[in-house]
Amino acid sequence: MAVPLDQSSAPTSMKIVLGVLLILICGDVQLTRAAKKCVFNGQKFASGDLVLRIDDACTSFYCQAMTKKNGKQMKNKVEIVARTDPMDACQCNIAPRYITDPRKMLNEVEAQHKNYRMRRAKDQPTLKSKSSSHDRHGTRVELRKKKKPRQNMKRCKFNQRKYKAGQTILSVPERCMDLACVKQSGTVSLIQAQLKSGCTCSDQVTGPPSTSPGQVPSTSPPPQCSDYREKFTSSHSMCQPKSTTCNIKKEGITEQEKNKILKLHNEYRAKVARGEEDRGNPGPQPSATNMREIVWRQELGDVAQAWANTCPTGHDCTDCRKILSQDYYVGQNLFWSWSFNDSEQWDLAITSFYDEVKDVPKSLVDNYQSIITANPIGHYTQLVWAETYEVGCGAMIHGPCSSGLISFEVCKIYACNYGPGGNYISKPIYEAGDTASSCPNGKSSKYDGLCK
């Protein structure tokens, strides 16, 4: 028997039943257009604008609204973030050189500095001269024109911070690329992309490597708490200690479980994309033109595992689950179960997420909204969100535990983190239409109906 509960009612409203299933979903994310603009090399960009595209590194930089800890986007704060294309959709062409996007118009930036210097030279005599006047009592006073504050031309500005020439601003290790502040002249420094030689592009460069028997693991150290604390928040899930009260018996997932998680996600997504889901309130669910195949990102799984190890009763904060290797909002689905054996239950967990489709109005596909329903639907909408293309999960088994008067030997906590996360208000869950007819990078070779 399953009793789905939304986040606001768990865990106080748990019913005492054998094999209780609890599932939670992150709150809806309001998508807004930021009032302020991102500044990059003297140019301004609105939220949603492409700032810089580096084809040689399969990476784009966008201006987007910053998000609060509750997942809501801020109206007046924006930031520049990096988005990488999956390796099956692009080919890195790495060479040790700097790349400057032609749209940054260096000549225009230099012209701005030249105009400033001309204005300053014009004002110089005035700044040194004095003029006389009288106050209202007739006393002679000396007036001096206020000197304009000198602007700092030698630093690069990126996401409300300033960097000196030679400093690395942002690293994209999986694409062998850094953004750096580079000196152009005595008064001008610009942000440029620096491609690294002797480096191999990869979709997974952080977290413990997945190795096969006999394979030598990478010697590069995994990210530490300090990395997440410095970039995001001291409350990040990677900085949380393991629970000492849950009596943890087992943690982590096997390679077989990882493959099952991917298979189940993609099979359910492909089913919807082909227009084969008849359920809904009302249904059926329309087919999808642009639903992507989901791939595994280990860092998402590492963060999900860290949160599961805390023996949580709800979600971590939005900043608490962000990852270093991608700059996107991370969604999350959680699952709890009580039983008397420690066999894995990923089939039950992911199927419970998907079965929420029975309460999903087909009208939400074109315009997702937070609606009042008898049962939660956000797990399903996250699972089939078209623009989500990465997932990573963790699991923790503990016990004994109890629900009311009933004691169970085994309790399971499953956590899956998704990137980019879904459930954005007023955005489409996916584009309805002919199956896989809008696949920029081609169709999936593994799952009929999905895009690469």
Side-chain angles (χ1 to χ4, degrees):
M1 180 177 181
V3 182
L5 301 176
D6 63 20
Q7 189 171 357
S8 60
S9 61
T12 56
S13 59
M14 297 178 185
K15 294 186 177 180
I16 306 174
V17 292
L18 184 63
V20 175
L21 167 69
L22 297 183
I23 45 181
L24 299 178
I25 187 67
C26 294
D28 300 319
V29 179
Q30 182 72 41
L31 185 66
T32 59
R33 189 168 183 86
K36 291 190 175 181
K37 294 187 177 183
C38 298
V39 177
F40 189 92
N41 285 347
Q43 286 194 325
K44 294 183 179 181
F45 298 86
S47 177
D49 287 350
L50 173 66
V51 176
L52 177 66
R53 169 67 187 173
I54 308 297
D55 290 324
D56 287 349
C58 305
T59 304
S60 300
F61 295 87
Y62 286 85
C63 178
Q64 71 175 35
M66 296 179 66
T67 56
K68 301 178 182 178
K69 290 186 178 182
N70 61 3
K72 300 291 184 179
Q73 290 196 346
M74 302 179 184
K75 294 182 179 180
N76 296 315
K77 292 187 178 181
V78 291
E79 61 181 346
I80 298 174
V81 299
R83 299 180 187 176
T84 59
D85 296 330
M87 288 303 299
D88 59 357
C90 68
Q91 182 65 44
C92 278
N93 180 23
I94 299 304
R97 65 187 187 277
Y98 282 105
I99 294 178
T100 302
D101 187 61
R103 296 183 305 126
K104 302 291 95 58
M105 292 185 292
L106 176 59
N107 291 336
E108 179 180 335
V109 177
E110 291 180 335
Q112 293 175 359
H113 299 328
K114 182 178 180 180
N115 290 336
Y116 166 76
R117 291 193 296 269
M118 292 177 62
R119 291 196 306 269
R120 184 165 177 246
K122 182 179 179 181
D123 290 339
Q124 195 73 15
T126 306
L127 293 175
K128 292 182 179 180
S129 64
K130 296 181 179 180
S131 59
S132 61
S133 183
H134 295 78
D135 63 11
R136 61 189 181 93
H137 301 293
T139 306
R140 186 179 178 87
V141 295
E142 298 290 337
L143 300 180
R144 181 186 294 270
K145 185 178 289 186
K146 290 184 179 180
K147 185 176 181 179
K148 295 182 180 179
R150 182 177 181 180
Q151 300 181 21
N152 190 341
M153 302 292 187
K154 296 182 180 181
R155 300 199 176 199
C156 300
K157 186 176 181 181
F158 186 85
N159 288 346
Q160 289 77 53
R161 293 185 61 185
K162 292 182 179 180
Y163 298 83
K164 296 179 180 180
Q167 280 188 300
T168 298
I169 297 173
L170 177 68
S171 292
V172 188
E174 67 269 38
R175 291 297 180 268
C176 303
M177 183 189 71
D178 292 336
L179 284 187
C181 183
V182 181
K183 184 177 180 180
Q184 302 292 316
S185 67
T187 58
V188 179
S189 293
L190 293 177
I191 302 172
Q192 294 184 347
Q194 182 183 26
L195 303 184
K196 302 176 181 178
S197 60
C199 175
T200 302
C201 290
S202 170
D203 282 327
Q204 298 179 18
V205 298
T206 59
S210 176
T211 59
S212 56
Q215 181 181 354
V216 178
S218 171
T219 58
S220 59
Q224 303 297 317
C225 165
S226 57
D227 300 318
Y228 295 93
R229 181 174 59 236
E230 180 179 353
K231 186 170 183 180
F232 303 123
T233 171
S234 59
S235 301
H236 198 279
S237 292
M238 293 294 280
C239 297
Q240 301 301 314
K242 294 182 182 180
S243 173
T244 58
T245 59
C246 266
N247 190 21
I248 297 177
K249 296 182 175 181
K250 182 181 178 182
E251 59 183 88
I253 62 175
T254 65
E255 191 72 15
Q256 183 179 4
E257 288 176 280
K258 184 185 80 171
N259 293 333
K260 175 182 282 191
I261 292 167
L262 286 175
K263 184 173 182 289
L264 289 169
H265 275 85
N266 284 312
E267 285 181 347
Y268 280 132
R269 287 167 71 89
K271 179 180 179 180
V272 174
R274 294 193 298 267
E276 298 173 358
E277 181 51 70
D278 296 328
R279 291 178 293 174
N281 187 26
Q285 303 300 316
S287 56
T289 71
N290 64 332
M291 194 173 296
R292 297 182 63 174
E293 176 185 347
I294 281 187
V295 297
W296 189 267
R297 179 168 286 272
Q298 186 58 46
E299 192 184 2
L300 286 173
D302 294 339
V303 176
Q305 183 64 57
W307 182 238
N309 287 345
T310 67
C311 203
T313 58
H315 295 282
D316 51 5
C317 69
T318 301
D319 284 345
C320 297
R321 71 180 80 108
K322 285 185 175 181
I323 61 176
L324 299 169
S325 58
Q326 291 279 42
D327 284 305
Y328 51 38
Y329 163 72
V330 178
Q332 186 178 79
N333 281 356
L334 299 177
F335 169 88
W336 288 261
S337 75
W338 288 258
S339 63
F340 294 96
N341 65 77
D342 61 357
S343 59
E344 58 93 356
Q345 292 182 293
W346 284 108
D347 295 88
L348 176 62
I350 297 172
T351 298
S352 69
F353 298 155
Y354 180 79
D355 281 345
E356 291 177 359
V357 66
K358 67 182 184 299
D359 295 306
V360 177
K362 61 183 179 181
S363 60
L364 288 190
V365 169
D366 295 327
N367 185 14
Y368 177 80
Q369 298 291 331
S370 179
I371 62 175
I372 299 176
T373 59
N375 300 308
I377 62 174
H379 309 90
Y380 165 78
T381 54
Q382 171 60 85
L383 193 152
V384 299
W385 196 267
E387 294 181 356
T388 297
Y389 63 89
E390 294 182 329
V391 68
C393 302
M396 191 269 279
I397 296 177
H398 64 101
C401 53
S402 61
S403 177
L405 300 177
I406 302 178
S407 179
F408 299 92
E409 294 180 4
V410 179
C411 299
K412 302 181 181 76
I413 299 176
Y414 290 170
C416 284
N417 286 355
Y418 299 84
N423 295 357
Y424 280 87
I425 299 296
S426 300
K427 293 284 287 184
I429 300 174
Y430 56 84
E431 183 181 283
D434 295 336
T435 301
S437 59
S438 297
C439 296
N441 303 314
K443 298 180 180 180
S444 169
S445 59
K446 296 180 181 179
Y447 299 96
D448 181 30
L450 298 183
C451 303
K452 287 183 179 179

